[in-house]
Amino acid sequence: FGVRALLVVTLTLSPVTATVWIENDVTGEDAYPPLWDLASGNLLDFPVKDNKIVISAWNYQERLGVYKSLLNASAKYFGAFGPQNRGNILWGLPLQHGWQFRTGRLADLSGVTSCGYENGEHLCQSVRSWWSCMNYYLAIIPFLGAVEAGLFGQLPYEIEILPPEEQKDDFCYNVKDCWSRMPKLMDEWKAFFEVSFSSTFSSFKLDDALGLMWKAHTTSIAYALPKFQDRLKYLSDPEANFSKAWANAVDFIGATHFCTDFPTTNNFQAFLPPRMLAEGDVLPSISDFSPQQNNVLVSLRALHTANKLTGGLLLKLWQKAMSTEAGREMGRKLIEGLASS
């Protein structure tokens, strides 16, 4: 079952045909996550208490600061990939988080608190939000893996992550705690930072780094998905279905070693829904979404359905097809095509 045949099958399952990747203007301020300039990019700027750097991961701006510190600490490895650190493949994480914040996906949708709302605690990230909880495993766990790998050098203090007000057992809060609870997950992220960023710049290989990053990324999602299944009940049916389809799609995207630098991620995110999906939203004709945004949602749904119907076989075939550089290049072109019209 060759690469070409697999791509044809995948295309057939989707109503969208591959076309030219449309580049968007990603030079403006809107290309950055909201409040990016206000987020701290230095770990030593966070408060220190009892000889520990204390980070509130349930505050959007502080979680953004975690991402910014990761970008700053790894910037030296990406100097050859574009100015202003825009070639850094870690951009995908904060840009995704910024999209979640901008579209209201981090707020408390249960109606119990005002967490995440303009007229309440605007910067609060709700522990009842599926997106916010899933993102914890793509923010705090990578960050602590980087700390353990020595990306930040020898820090004068330990790191302590403040717990949420409820559901505390769903998360870990420092390097030791995370290692004891989820050693495989921590190991994946530590390996990414150690292997990718401990070598000299001359031996840095972007494709290898992307492969390790996506492996850790998909492991995070696989670990968190069953844990936060109960948070989906707070979402509308269309939004819950999109959330599950998006988590499934990440496995397909990651297998291509899709580049998550600043311009590529921004180009891709332009095709994601600009708000949460509501009851009554019917694909592919959501009136306040662009044709491309409607198309991408249909494609994600079709991919998720096809993978479920085949018992995960489609993903396994796809991963096999993506095991060569040539296959991955074709896979990336297909994904870029699905995000265009």
Side-chain angles (χ1 to χ4, degrees), residues 304-323:
H304 186 216
T305 301
N307 197 41
K308 276 176 70 177
L309 288 173
T310 60
L313 178 62
L314 185 62
L315 176 60
K316 288 176 183 172
L317 290 170
W318 177 263
Q319 288 170 332
K320 188 174 182 181
M322 298 298 110
S323 61

Side-chain angles (χ1 to χ4, degrees), residues 241-305:
N241 290 334
F242 162 64
S243 302
K244 289 182 280 189
W246 176 240
N248 170 75
V250 171
D251 282 325
F252 287 85
I253 294 167
T256 72
H257 295 187
F258 193 81
C259 186
T260 46
D261 62 14
F262 186 86
T264 310
T265 304
N266 266 302
N267 284 330
F268 186 72
Q269 287 199 163
F271 303 109
L272 293 181
R275 60 164 173 80
M276 278 187 292
L277 278 73
E279 302 293 354
D281 283 335
V282 179
L283 295 172
S285 51
I286 302 176
S287 59
D288 60 332
F289 286 14
S290 70
Q292 293 95 337
Q293 288 163 346
N294 273 288
N295 285 341
V296 164
L297 287 174
V298 171
S299 298
L300 294 180
R301 182 179 65 183
L303 193 61
H304 186 216
T305 301

